[in-house]
Amino acid sequence: MSSSNIEVPYIQSLFQADGYLTTHEAEIRRRYGCFKDLLNRIESNEGSLDKFTRGYETFGIHRTPDNGIYMKEWAPGAEGISLRGEFNDWNQLQYKFTKGDFGKWELKIPPKEDGSCPIPHGSKIKLVMHTKAGKLEDRLSPWAKRVTREKEVPIYDQIFWDPKETYQFKHGHPNKPASLRIYESHVGIASWQGKVATYPEFTRDVLPRIAYLGYNCIQLMAVMEHAYYASFGYQITSFFAASGRYGTPEELKELIDTAHGMGITVLLDVVHSHASKNVVDGLNQFDGTDSCYFHSGGRGNHDLWDSRLFNYTEWEVLRFLLSNLRWWIEEYQFDGFRFDGVTSMLYHSHGMGHGFSGDYNEYFGLNTDTESLTYLTMSNYMLHKFYPDFMITIAEDVSGMPALCRIVDEGGQGFDYRLAMSIPDMWIKNLKEKSDDDWDLDNICHILTNRRYTEKCIAYAESHDQALVGDKTLAFWLMDKEMYTHMSELSPPSLIVDRGIALHKMIRLITMGLGGEGYLNFIGNEFGHPEWLDFPRIGNQESYHYCRRQWNLVDDKMLKYKYLYAFDRDMQHLEKAFGWLAQHTQQYISRKNQGDKVVVFERVEKLLFIFNFHPNNSYTDYKIGVGYPGRYRIVLDTDSETYGGHKRLDHNVEFFTNNESWDDRYHSMMVYIPCRTAIVLAKQD
């Protein structure tokens, strides 16, 4: 069928938002046709999309109603499969699978004579793959729900997880928040102690902090099991298993349920862009061949990440990945996903060595990988179809692919948000290369607002990657070694610390104020976490010293971290009260004065944000334009003593507009703006 004949139900809505896309209408229709063709084939061959995406109900290992065992696996390149484990003294050949159609294998083990299950809960099992080379090789089921390893053993074992009592959820999914304020978290580093923290510790110690600060969403990293801890959770070995290094599946369920009880949405950082190269305890060479779940040859390898790349055209790979998404929702009650590595998926080049200029030909040419694009489209269609009330999907995409965050029936890929990845890059570049005296406010404002109209973005001031060893947190870039000596209330004054605390607050406020329709903070950075993040490895003698969050710093009332923590709390609660992130129209910047170092902009018709980045100059009776007339008062002030400031502003003062136009606004007012200070004024009537 010609692409011009492919009906896209609401494509005109897409063109109304961006008329330049009409040039690529044929390609947009063709891509939608690929999605519809896949959907039709799934429904025709499998009965329904719902059934197809519940593969975990039949694949993997299951206890049957009569207490027997049923297993099903897909291994098209295998000569045979058998099951061994503690239950049969690791006999490799006792329980052999029967070969079925399309590379599928089945095994049935009857219950014991006493009617009990032949494989006890918590016991170790392994698949034995009979390869074409005539070898018997151990593998873990791709559908394994729990895997663990002995302390001194590097290889993971599959655990038959069938507890008599499972966690019973008490709370339903929260409704999708209009304003998304994300607290990005890693359970393992969430303790101040030098160890791997646990799900129960996170539930007890960290969730109350997140709720107190005012975040309404948690994004959990490194939950899908990964053999190498230092991979930050991005080299997945077992896609259906919650990481056992933090605790049990039931304890993760309790964490999520407790968050739901606090009204907090929980997203999973899902990695479907690639997989670990591990063979014995990963997906690589599962059936003894180079392909199976992945492309064979060079296309199946990511050279930069040293990992394997999925074959998104393979029927059982689609079943596996789509079912994986539903598993995390149905079993653990996650509310959505942050899809990792989307840029790598979208392009045959994986985005490597490609600085996207914004030219639309870069997105609608031959470099775009239609197969993975179709998979992402199907994922979003499926998730929003089955879970419309709470589902949130976020794309980690740096390329700016048009329509990525437009609905599928417009010809988009259906994501709700994309990460505004250029923003943290901009801040780190400014801190590394320039004094704040020389910051280009035009460029800063451009980066903060340069996003596709009607496609929502998540703004963030610093990414978790920037905290990794070899780099530093924003706070450490601003204050460096002074944080070791001058963060105490008893320390002598430090101009470096004074500057660092002031700019840390201003950077976060202008990012949240201008940068997107959602906001994200990485665990601990809200209080200016010092130093960097370094996972235990041979190079650091397996040390956990930098692999933790030092809550003791913010809890110590004699240290200045409390000021940044208090500011972040009040910034989140201010957004909660006024909801400017939910306002999808472009905000109006009325002033960007490079000489004065002043930026002024408005949000939600009630809030006026005023920033003075000048290191020395304070301005009395400074005239600013105002779009909405009335009486205004200060509702947030970075210079407040509550936030470690100098208390140069009187919060009892009211500001009144006059009818003199200024900066292309119909009204104006006079304000006092101290140097290195930001204030937010709220309209009172």
Side-chain angles (χ1 to χ4, degrees), residues 265-284:
T265 292
V266 186
L267 307 181
L268 175 68
D269 197 343
V270 71
V271 185
H272 282 183
S273 50
H274 65 129
S276 168
K277 274 190 172 180
N278 286 22
V279 174
V280 178
D281 54 6
L283 287 183
N284 192 19

Side-chain angles (χ1 to χ4, degrees), residues 177-192:
S179 295
L180 202 57
R181 302 183 299 277
I182 304 172
Y183 195 87
E184 185 182 27
S185 303
H186 185 294
V187 171
I189 71 169
S191 170
W192 65 270

Side-chain angles (χ1 to χ4, degrees), residues 133 304 309 419 494 509 527 616:
L304 185 63
L309 298 174
L419 291 176
S494 165
L509 181 59
F527 65 82
N616 303 308

Side-chain angles (χ1 to χ4, degrees), residues 494-527:
S494 165
L495 292 177
I496 292 175
V497 168
D498 188 69
R499 167 187 177 269
I501 288 177
L503 288 177
H504 194 274
K505 292 176 289 187
M506 295 179 72
I507 286 171
R508 302 179 95 73
L509 181 59
I510 198 170
T511 299
M512 192 176 192
L514 274 182
E517 291 73 36
Y519 178 78
L520 179 144
N521 168 73
F522 179 64
I523 181 172
N525 287 347
E526 71 277 5
F527 65 82

